[in-house]
Amino acid sequence: MTTDKLEREAKRYRWLSIILLVALLGVYVHLASTHTEILPLTSNSTAGFLACEVPRHGTKPINSTRNVASWTTDSRDAKPIPCHSHNDYLRHVPLFDALTAGCTGVEADVWVDSNLKDDLYVGHTRKSLQPARTLNSLYIEPLLAILNEMNTPSNLSSPLSVKDPKIPAGVFETFPTQAITLLIDLKTASESTFPVVLAALKPLLERNYLTTWSQARGLSPGPITVVGTGNTNFTSAILSPANSNPRLIFFDAPLDTLATLEHKDTNDYNTNNSYYASVSYNQDIGKPLLGFMYPSQVRKVKREIVAAEERRLVSRYWDAPTWPKKVERGIWDTLVSEGVGLLSVDDLEGVQGVWESGGPRSV
């Protein structure tokens, strides 16, 4: 065979290989995107929360309240759902998009950056930090203003407000006993960042707006529970004397190790020091094949959820598959049916459909 013929044959086989790969990819996408249920719901547990991860910039924004003044009125239409807004600061309107959707948890990545000033800056990477985007400006000040307004005599006497008189009213006017969680992901070193976070929380503590724990009083619920994750050190930060009298920040415990023999019979992570128990879905459970969760994956999820429940911690899986959408929805339904505490997703509007279709709404 001549050199020219060999080159033509090689080119022909290359094109056939490309066509075959494209066809196989098309089959995968079709099967995954048209499969309406990944696994049948295997239990009736409604004890868990469901969390939702944020859409990135450029996605369709939810029709959100824009400021504190309008929220105090618009919150009457918000119905809390077990939804946690992961990387909430990337939303079009941080905090308020999540609250408008009814989410009961938000998350902020915080940095200490000496090149700016002595403050806590919120952003996904160091390069994205901006002087105006701080933990105080995006979360502490708005939450303080909302709770101050919700706890005025006129709001507390409203027929819409039925609350526990021992605990300040929360951010939802018609659901004043509903607490929310502020998850703070430390991106810089724990020893330099954690003390700054503690100081930033003092205005909320002084108004009795935080869940706290102390040796003398035990656990005292508040309208906001603060959880530390990322670089937050369990021993030197969460259990430190500075965070023990009272404890203002609770730990995000390692969900994947709670059910292991090392931790099975211990009580090192409990409600005195922790609130969430979390792990990456992709790293711990793995990706579904053609959109299906293996029975062994579901069994592992159940073991981990039970291990968290035994410690009265809220289980949370983040970094779960987000595409195709029906695969994502199937994973949500399966995890919720198994009693998961929190599930990170990218779609605030989509996650509300879990409850609109008759799923659990218990928060």
Side-chain angles (χ1 to χ4, degrees):
M1 187 177 291
T2 65
T3 301
D4 288 344
K5 286 185 177 180
L6 287 173
E7 289 180 352
R8 286 197 297 272
E9 287 296 313
K11 185 176 181 180
R12 177 171 173 265
Y13 282 114
R14 283 197 297 270
W15 276 108
L16 286 174
S17 298
I18 292 172
I19 292 170
L20 179 61
L21 287 172
V22 170
L24 289 173
L25 179 61
V27 171
Y28 170 83
V29 170
H30 173 74
L31 290 174
S33 62
T34 57
H35 191 70
T36 58
E37 290 187 4
I38 292 179
L39 280 174
L41 302 186
T42 54
S43 75
N44 295 320
S45 173
T46 60
F49 295 177
L50 188 72
C52 70
E53 213 168 19
V54 299
R56 299 299 184 258
H57 289 300
T59 58
K60 180 182 177 182
I62 198 163
N63 185 18
S64 172
T65 293
R66 296 282 164 171
N67 54 55
V68 173
S70 57
W71 171 251
T72 55
T73 299
D74 295 345
S75 70
R76 296 176 183 178
D77 298 323
K79 295 181 179 180
I81 60 174
C83 170
H84 174 87
S85 182
H86 175 238
N87 288 346
D88 179 79
Y89 53 88
L90 294 178
R91 293 199 178 278
H92 294 269
V93 188
L95 180 63
F96 291 101
D97 276 6
L99 295 181
T100 301
C103 285
T104 55
V106 294
E107 179 176 343
D109 293 355
V110 301
W111 309 68
V112 170
D113 194 324
S114 58
N115 293 325
L116 294 171
K117 63 177 182 177
D118 189 19
D119 207 341
L120 290 164
Y121 296 91
V122 176
H124 200 58
T125 63
R126 190 178 290 276
K127 289 183 179 180
S128 69
L129 303 182
Q130 301 176 26
R133 294 176 65 82
T134 67
L135 183 67
N136 191 55
S137 65
L138 295 181
Y139 296 98
I140 305 298
E141 288 182 354
L143 285 171
L144 189 63
I146 290 172
L147 292 173
N148 284 342
E149 180 63 26
M150 292 298 182
N151 286 280
T152 59
S154 59
N155 275 318
L156 292 177
S157 62
S158 168
L160 297 175
S161 180
V162 180
K163 63 176 294 295
D164 183 343
K166 298 178 182 179
I167 303 173
V171 300
F172 300 100
E173 182 174 0
T174 53
F175 298 87
T177 61
Q178 175 61 58
I180 66 168
T181 304
L182 175 59
L183 182 66
I184 300 180
D185 188 338
L186 270 58
K187 293 300 184 182
T188 42
S190 181
E191 54 268 24
S192 61
T193 313
F194 194 80
V196 186
V197 176
L198 282 176
L201 295 173
K202 282 187 177 180
L204 293 169
L205 176 66
E206 291 170 352
R207 299 304 299 268
N208 199 30
Y209 292 155
L210 296 181
T211 296
T212 62
W213 176 90
S214 67
Q215 190 69 45
R217 300 184 60 186
L219 195 66
S220 301
I224 301 174
T225 299
V226 180
V227 178
T229 191
N231 285 332
T232 302
N233 186 281
F234 180 64
T235 303
S236 64
I238 298 297
L239 301 184
S240 67
N243 188 46
S244 297
N245 191 31
R247 178 160 294 133
L248 312 184
I249 304 176
F250 296 82
F251 195 53
D252 186 15
L255 178 60
D256 54 329
T257 67
L258 293 183
T260 63
L261 291 176
E262 180 184 357
H263 291 281
K264 188 174 182 181
D265 297 323
T266 67
N267 197 33
D268 44 1
Y269 302 113
N270 55 66
T271 54
N272 295 348
N273 55 50
S274 303
Y275 185 73
Y276 285 166
S278 308
V279 70
S280 164
Y281 181 97
N282 277 328
Q283 292 181 13
D284 183 47
I285 306 302
K287 295 184 182 297
L289 177 63
L290 296 181
F292 290 88
M293 286 178 67
Y294 295 115
S296 60
Q297 291 177 317
V298 178
R299 288 194 296 270
K300 185 176 184 180
V301 163
K302 187 62 176 178
R303 285 197 303 272
E304 293 175 346
I305 291 172
V306 168
E309 289 176 345
E310 288 174 347
R311 292 165 174 78
R312 296 170 60 197
L313 303 180
V314 180
S315 56
R316 179 176 75 106
Y317 289 94
W318 52 275
D319 193 30
T322 60
W323 186 88
K325 282 297 180 183
K326 289 190 177 180
V327 170
E328 178 186 52
R329 174 57 188 269
I331 292 175
W332 297 351
D333 288 341
T334 301
L335 291 176
V336 169
S337 77
E338 295 300 334
V340 73
L342 292 144
L343 174 67
S344 295
V345 300
D346 287 333
D347 183 1
L348 281 179
E349 293 181 325
V351 78
Q352 294 178 58
V354 173
W355 291 276
E356 289 172 356
S357 61
R361 181 176 277 275
S362 173
V363 184

